[in-house]
Amino acid sequence: MIYLDNAATTKAAPEVVEAMLPYFTEHYGNPSTIYSLGNESKKAISQARKTIADALGAKAEEIYFTAGGSESDNWAIKATAEAYEGKGRHIITTKIEHHAVLHTCQYLEKKGFEVTYLDVDENGLIDLEELKAAIRPDTILISVMFANNEIGTIEPIAQIGQIAREHGILFHTDAVQAFGQVPIQVDELKIDMLSSSAHKLNGPKGVGFLYIRKGVKIRSFVHGGAQERSRRAGTENVPGIVGFGAAVERAIRTMEERTKKEIELRDYLIHRIETEIDHCRLNGDRVKRLPNNVNFSFLFIEGESMLIMLDMKGICASSGSACTSGSLDPSHVLLAIGLKHEQAHGSLRMTLSEENTKEELDYVVENLKAIVERLRSMSPLYEDFVKKNGK
Ligand SMILES: *Cc1c(COP(=O)(O)O)cnc(C)c1O
């Protein structure tokens, strides 16, 4: 099997699993208890919190553990809306956010909040002038993702943070794809809230965190016990949190070397596809791009068919239509960068890890070429095109 879907989820690293195991069986105490068994758990959580805070240049008490990226996004946006609605009810975000952000914003619109969804250019970048123009006296939050999960584009986060700070508006970023892949320092970038999820960086599923800058007025998300400084109740997911800490430690330690290798593989794959397959388009910015993201649209082809045929060759990838989520709508991200419906439907996302090899990618390209040719040979649209324009 060749796994090229690391934006969907990643394999837990062996050292992460190893770090977690004792917290299921040996150190299983509830961290809220006062005997020493519980204390072991409590210490482990503190350590993970510190590792994560250090990675971001934050303070340990600014890290709040959650059940994942979706929860962190929900919390940041809903709780800000609630805490600051006295100041205003206007939120700015973008058209290419993850659904955890978009659907939360739509929910708030139903509650009477107003949301501006910024456009992006053909590479997926927001326009800073457009952002400035969207700011109103009643704007309380700007939420722009650090890097896009479909096309890999990295947004101008430092400039957005600067603009938000100058206007006294809170800045939240969904960094689920970026954290562990690019260096992030919350003070330098003037980030007030940041969402992350362990399973996107070789950690376990079902655990995330929300960084909340000290001083940000934010409401509790889960009411109950006093865990997470009374802001997110519920007995902590101790093994998950320990695994997250180990995953972050590993991600930071290996970042330079790992991403260098990924970039080489990424650029090799992009180059081979661009030079060997006709009528394709690279989606996302060429330079401001996640180290492991490759996203192409192939004309005259359905992404779903491609995925099925790749799967038969043992290759896991993802397509730009949202079929997987039970709808036939093309990806909102690909439409936002200006693709036509048929281009968006014919897209393929391959997200690499440092474990992939050039040989694997050669195998992928050879199969992809054959699959594209085969699917096009069955496409009436392609037949028409060739009749009119030649190959
Ligand atoms: C995966 C992802 C999420 C959701 O994270 P979960 O932990 O799966 O809930 C949110 N935002 C982005 C950009 C993602 O890639």
Side-chain angles (χ1 to χ4, degrees), residues 215-289:
V216 172
K217 220 176 13 159
I218 191 161
R219 299 294 161 94
S220 305
F221 192 64
V222 178
H223 301 276
Q227 293 91 354
E228 303 302 297
R229 310 176 81 220
S230 293
R231 279 161 155 185
R232 203 273 185 189
T235 302
E236 297 87 341
N237 173 1
V238 182
I241 289 169
V242 169
F244 201 174
V248 169
E249 191 279 317
R250 173 185 179 275
I252 301 299
R253 171 168 42 83
T254 63
M255 188 187 297
E256 208 178 306
E257 204 180 327
R258 176 170 44 86
T259 55
K260 186 167 161 251
K261 184 164 178 222
E262 285 174 357
I263 287 171
E264 262 172 42
L265 291 169
R266 175 194 75 185
D267 293 345
Y268 177 71
L269 184 56
I270 290 175
H271 179 74
R272 280 208 63 184
I273 292 175
E274 279 186 324
T275 51
E276 296 177 40
I277 302 181
D278 291 332
H279 312 303
C280 67
R281 172 199 201 270
L282 177 70
N283 297 316
D285 197 276
R286 272 178 199 274
V287 182
K288 294 166 195 149
R289 186 180 197 97

Side-chain angles (χ1 to χ4, degrees), residues 45 47 72 86 110 133 140-141 148 183 207 209 240 243 246 257 276 290 321 325 337 340 353 362 371:
I45 293 175
Q47 200 190 329
S72 299
K110 289 202 196 99
I140 52 172
L141 177 68
N148 184 269
V207 57
F209 72 79
E257 204 180 327
E276 296 177 40
L290 284 175
S321 68
S325 59
I337 61 171
K340 297 192 191 75
S353 80
D362 287 333
I371 289 168

Side-chain angles (χ1 to χ4, degrees), residues 116-150:
T116 299
Y117 299 91
L118 296 174
D119 282 314
V120 293
D121 69 10
E122 71 278 9
N123 294 323
L125 289 163
I126 69 157
D127 179 338
L128 294 168
E129 292 308 315
E130 217 174 290
L131 169 64
K132 283 185 204 160
I135 292 174
R136 315 191 316 206
D138 61 341
T139 306
I140 52 172
L141 177 68
I142 296 171
S143 180
V144 177
M145 69 199 320
F146 208 112
N148 184 269
N149 46 303
E150 291 189 35

Side-chain angles (χ1 to χ4, degrees), residues 7-8 67-71 73 98 100 145 147 149 174 176-177 197 199-200:
S70 299
E71 183 184 314
D73 286 341
H98 189 274
M145 69 199 320
N149 46 303
D174 175 341
V176 173
Q177 291 293 332
S197 180
H199 77 101
K200 301 289 175 77

Side-chain angles (χ1 to χ4, degrees), residues 71-85:
E71 183 184 314
S72 299
D73 286 341
N74 269 260
W75 185 5
I77 297 167
K78 286 180 191 163
T80 302
E82 205 189 311
Y84 289 85
E85 69 179 325

Side-chain angles (χ1 to χ4, degrees), residues 1-43:
M1 188 193 71
I2 300 178
Y3 188 72
L4 303 179
D5 204 14
N6 286 279
T9 196
T10 58
K11 179 166 83 177
E15 66 195 84
V16 167
V17 178
E18 204 181 311
M20 290 172 73
L21 284 177
Y23 291 89
F24 288 103
T25 50
E26 212 179 311
H27 310 304
Y28 54 83
N30 187 320
S32 301
T33 57
I34 58 164
Y35 40 80
S36 49
L37 182 66
N39 226 27
E40 282 294 324
S41 308
K42 196 172 167 183
K43 269 200 316 220

